[in-house]
Amino acid sequence: MASAIDRLADEIVDHRFRGLPPDADGRTVGALARERRDLYSGGFTTPVLTLSAEALEHNMRALGEFAERHGLAFAPHGKTSMAPALFRRQLDHGAWGITVAVPHQARVARAFGVQRIFLANEVVDAPALAWLAGELAADPEFRCVVYADSVRGVDLMDHALRATGATRPLEVVVELGARGGRTGARGATEAASVAAAVNASPVLALVGVAGYEGEVPDADEANVRSWLRELVALAVALDSDDLFAATGEIIVSAGGSAWFDAVAEVFAELPELSRPVLGLLRSGAYVSHDDGRYREVTPFNRLPDEGSLLPAFRLWAQVVSRPEPGLALVNAGKRDVAYDLGLPEVQVLRRATGGVVPARGLTVTRLSDQHAFVRGEDADDVPDVGDWVGLGMSHPCTIFDKWQLIPVVDADGSVGDFVRTFF
């Protein structure tokens, strides 16, 4: 894995990557990182998305320690970042593997050497299943676990894998959903039918149960815990019917970034089963955290003694117009920022004279394609043309995908690394 990621440092800096210094064209990414240029004076152009080196390290350590304290394995959801360098760092912090949502994301993870993949979807695409069968055949150490939530889906997986001559069974967990929610079998009876269908296939192996509590309708502490107890009860019921005969350990998995405390609490109630249980947490947004939704819902708000998370993103834009009193237009818009769960927050300013200061009374009121409208309570506080504006953003899942090469900034403002994304 290291060598594949190390080769990313050989990629050439050029027009493909937004925000990087124009005079760095032709250098490798690694060479530019070794220069440790200052973000503000080193030629970076706006808009430019940055990640805090300190916040990334803090967040990875915090969730790794939380999972370890609660006896959980951890497979962070990689679709948040799709950044192999972050995958490696998460694995270095003790992650069991990496979670992905679709086969393309699994291909990216495999291209960079990830050996355990939790593919949190039912895979019914025949070419994707043929690729998975080939990966399993070529590497005896590779594991991939996929969802199943319907007998029809199991039949399609079985047919495609048989047609491709699969030599190793594909590991499957039955996905439990909630009525009115997203994917997943609706109730224990339907889930048991799916489990029986998996066990009837020679090219599939039932290894556990899973789901996502974040999509429980009207999710609150009571509803989430109730659904998690249904998931635990499903694992117990399937085990009592001896449906996990194909595995040496039973996977019980859940956990986004909003309810991992509830997952830890309810999974601790699991009784002893016929085989060891791998309680698998899958939080993903934690790695960068945010300045919006996840800041509000992180379980560490409820359990401050358990840890904390820090927002790692900051997008720097520049004021390019002051067309009327109290209004500044900056050169970052819908093409640059995450806005599906809230508009960016104006947090800091860097005046043309230098120095970063806290922003006062400034609000992003709307976005167009390439501009954000920044209004001030006091016209004197509105930044001037040429000033840099530092924006905090909500929902990391929809910001990583807009930037292919992201500078990682140390506390002193120097850029010592870059994160490459693959969407």
Side-chain angles (χ1 to χ4, degrees):
M1 184 175 186
S3 60
I5 291 173
D6 291 342
R7 285 195 293 273
L8 291 176
D10 298 329
E11 198 159 12
I12 299 299
V13 173
D14 58 23
H15 60 277
R16 293 171 296 162
F17 305 121
R18 292 184 286 167
L20 300 193
D23 68 353
D25 278 9
R27 290 175 174 80
T28 65
V29 171
L32 182 57
R34 288 191 293 274
E35 292 180 17
R36 299 195 63 84
R37 294 196 186 195
D38 184 80
L39 176 67
Y40 312 111
S41 62
F44 291 88
T45 65
T46 57
V48 59
L49 181 69
T50 65
L51 284 163
S52 161
E54 288 76 15
L56 286 175
E57 178 62 25
H58 172 91
N59 294 345
M60 290 185 196
R61 186 172 61 251
L63 252 292
E65 291 174 353
F66 177 88
E68 184 176 4
R69 276 196 305 275
H70 291 276
L72 298 172
F74 189 32
H77 212 315
K79 61 93 176 175
T80 301
S81 69
M82 286 308 296
L86 296 184
F87 295 172
R88 181 171 71 178
R89 290 181 61 179
Q90 289 169 313
L91 293 167
D92 289 345
H93 277 271
W96 173 89
I98 297 296
T99 298
V100 298
V102 293
H104 160 70
Q105 295 169 358
R107 291 186 64 196
V108 172
R110 281 301 285 162
F112 289 90
V114 175
Q115 286 292 87
R116 291 175 179 163
I117 293 174
F118 190 99
L119 205 169
N121 240 329
E122 187 169 72
V123 181
V124 294
D125 186 282
L129 288 163
W131 171 79
L132 272 175
E135 291 293 300
L136 291 167
D139 185 353
E141 301 301 314
F142 172 51
R143 289 187 68 183
C144 183
V145 179
V146 304
Y147 275 176
D149 77 349
S150 66
V151 173
R152 166 69 173 166
V154 172
D155 288 344
L156 289 170
M157 284 192 278
D158 174 79
H159 179 78
L161 290 169
R162 286 174 186 259
T164 201
T167 57
R168 282 179 62 195
L170 178 61
E171 295 180 75
V172 176
V173 290
V174 175
E175 182 192 7
L176 180 68
R179 191 164 301 280
R182 200 170 64 182
T183 56
R186 292 334 195 219
T189 300
E190 185 175 323
S193 298
V194 177
V198 172
N199 270 339
S201 169
V203 290
L204 300 173
L206 185 69
V207 299
V209 299
Y212 175 46
E213 74 290 342
E215 286 293 332
V216 172
D218 302 316
D220 59 21
E221 292 193 44
N223 288 343
V224 165
R225 282 172 172 77
S226 176
W227 178 87
L228 286 166
R229 290 190 172 99
E230 289 181 28
L231 183 68
V232 166
L234 176 62
V236 172
L238 296 181
D239 186 52
S240 68
D241 289 337
D242 198 27
L243 293 180
F244 295 123
T247 184
E249 66 179 4
I250 299 170
I251 295 174
V252 182
S253 179
S257 294
W259 298 104
F260 55 76
D261 57 334
V263 173
E265 175 189 317
V266 175
F267 280 15
E269 301 171 2
L270 263 164
E272 185 174 348
L273 300 183
S274 64
R275 291 157 177 77
V277 172
L278 182 75
L280 191 61
L281 187 66
R282 303 194 312 274
S283 307
Y286 84 98
V287 69
S288 61
H289 200 42
D290 73 359
D291 284 296
R293 173 175 172 77
Y294 287 105
R295 177 188 60 199
E296 301 302 323
V297 303
T298 175
F300 290 145
N301 290 341
R302 299 185 287 272
L303 302 170
D305 292 341
E306 285 271 21
S308 63
L309 295 174
L310 299 173
F313 277 126
R314 177 161 287 163
L315 187 131
W316 287 98
Q318 195 167 27
V319 178
V320 293
S321 179
R322 281 283 307 273
E324 59 189 60
L327 173 65
L329 277 296
V330 301
N331 62 345
K334 293 178 181 178
R335 299 184 186 278
D336 311 295
V337 307
Y339 59 92
D340 59 315
L341 293 181
L343 293 174
E345 296 180 356
V346 182
Q347 296 180 331
V348 293
L349 304 177
R350 187 174 188 276
R351 301 290 187 180
T353 54
V356 176
V357 298
R360 297 185 302 168
L362 298 175
T363 304
V364 174
T365 58
R366 69 184 179 97
L367 300 171
S368 59
D369 286 350
Q370 301 288 180
H371 296 93
F373 290 68
V374 177
R375 293 193 177 271
E377 298 171 2
D378 185 333
D380 291 338
D381 291 332
V382 176
D384 206 350
V385 172
D387 291 347
W388 282 29
V389 177
L391 302 173
M393 285 162 294
S394 180
H395 202 193
C397 297
T398 54
I399 184 63
F400 273 105
D401 63 346
K402 299 179 188 300
W403 294 83
Q404 288 72 51
L405 193 63
I406 307 171
V408 180
V409 184
D410 289 332
D412 64 0
S414 62
V415 176
D417 199 3
F418 294 86
V419 167
R420 182 72 158 92
T421 65
F422 293 85
F423 282 91

